[in-house]
């Protein structure tokens, strides 16, 4: 048995979908985003990403999230509940997306999508794909330069 984010009922675009499972999983990810925001990580410094179901959930969550996130890395995946878009979208039309392997219906600004294909790539990843992910993240989240971290203060505040 393999753990999954939500039930898959088929692999074609016309297959029925586990709407309640997809929405529940997305709410769990949104709760993590809220937790991080409460702990000082601005949502515009958060990138969601995943492979297969994780990538699908990342796309759906980011596109329905109330926050403008930094971006999405979506590898070998699809957009779940695609029939509900664009009306289900929270309005994040300028969400940067790196999608590798499969085309995405354009429900966001097409200039914000970086679509890369890797010939001969099975349902897995490769070093070239990981290099594209690294480049995408570094572009969206440049290093924040600030003074040295006072680890004692940081750890004491984090434990509370």
């Amino acid at each position: 048995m393999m753990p999954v984010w939500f039930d898959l009922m088929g692999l074609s675009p016309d297959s029925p979908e586990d709407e309640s499972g997809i929405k529940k999983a997305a709410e769990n990810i949104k709760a993590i985003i809220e937790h991080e925001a409460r702990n000082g990580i601005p949502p515009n410094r958060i990138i969601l990403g995943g492979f297969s179901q994780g990538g699908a959930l990342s796309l759906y969550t980011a596109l329905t999230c109330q926050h403008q996130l930094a971006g999405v890395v979506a590898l070998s995946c699809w957009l779940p509940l695609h029939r509900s878009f664009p009306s289900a979208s929270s309005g994040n039309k300028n969400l940067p997306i790196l999608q590798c392997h499969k085309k995405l219906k354009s429900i966001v600004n097409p200039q914000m999508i970086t679509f890369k294909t890797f010939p001969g790539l099975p349902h897995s990843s490769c070093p070239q794909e990981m290099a594209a992910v690294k480049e995408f993240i570094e572009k969206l989240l440049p290093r924040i330069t600030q003074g040295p971290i006072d680890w004692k203060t940081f750890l004491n505040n984090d434990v509370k």
Side-chain angles (χ1 to χ4, degrees):
M1 181 165 213
M2 182 168 53
V4 295
W5 287 102
F6 49 86
D7 289 336
L8 283 179
M9 299 171 187
L11 297 176
S12 79
D14 298 327
S15 295
E17 296 183 276
D18 178 14
E19 183 173 354
S20 64
I22 292 165
K23 289 181 175 181
K24 180 179 178 188
E27 289 306 315
N28 289 338
I29 300 303
K30 290 174 189 177
I32 294 170
I33 294 167
E34 290 298 328
H35 174 79
E36 294 302 317
R38 283 191 307 275
N39 285 293
I41 305 294
N44 67 357
R45 299 277 307 162
I46 296 174
I47 294 176
L48 296 183
F51 176 85
S52 196
Q53 273 194 321
L57 182 59
S58 295
L59 277 173
Y60 180 83
T61 302
L63 291 170
T64 59
C65 185
Q66 69 181 10
H67 298 291
Q68 178 67 46
L69 302 177
V72 177
V73 174
L75 307 177
S76 298
C77 66
W78 70 100
L79 177 61
L81 305 178
H82 63 276
R83 291 179 204 88
S84 64
F85 287 91
S87 61
S89 177
S90 63
N92 291 331
K93 293 189 189 292
N94 291 322
L95 178 69
I97 298 171
L98 171 63
Q99 181 155 11
C100 300
H101 178 60
K102 195 171 184 178
K103 288 189 178 185
L104 170 70
K105 276 190 172 180
S106 187
I107 59 164
V108 295
N109 179 346
Q111 286 81 26
M112 300 305 290
I113 299 174
T114 303
F115 182 74
K116 295 192 178 273
T117 58
F118 299 89
L121 181 67
H123 193 64
S124 64
S125 188
C126 66
Q128 297 86 349
E129 187 177 47
M130 291 297 101
V133 170
K134 180 179 184 282
E135 179 183 320
F136 182 76
I137 291 172
E138 288 174 342
K139 177 182 167 189
L140 294 178
L141 298 178
R143 292 193 183 276
I144 298 174
T145 55
Q146 58 191 97
I149 296 173
D150 177 356
W151 286 105
K152 186 175 181 181
T153 303
F154 175 79
L155 291 173
N156 285 337
N157 288 336
D158 195 40
V159 173
K160 293 178 185 175

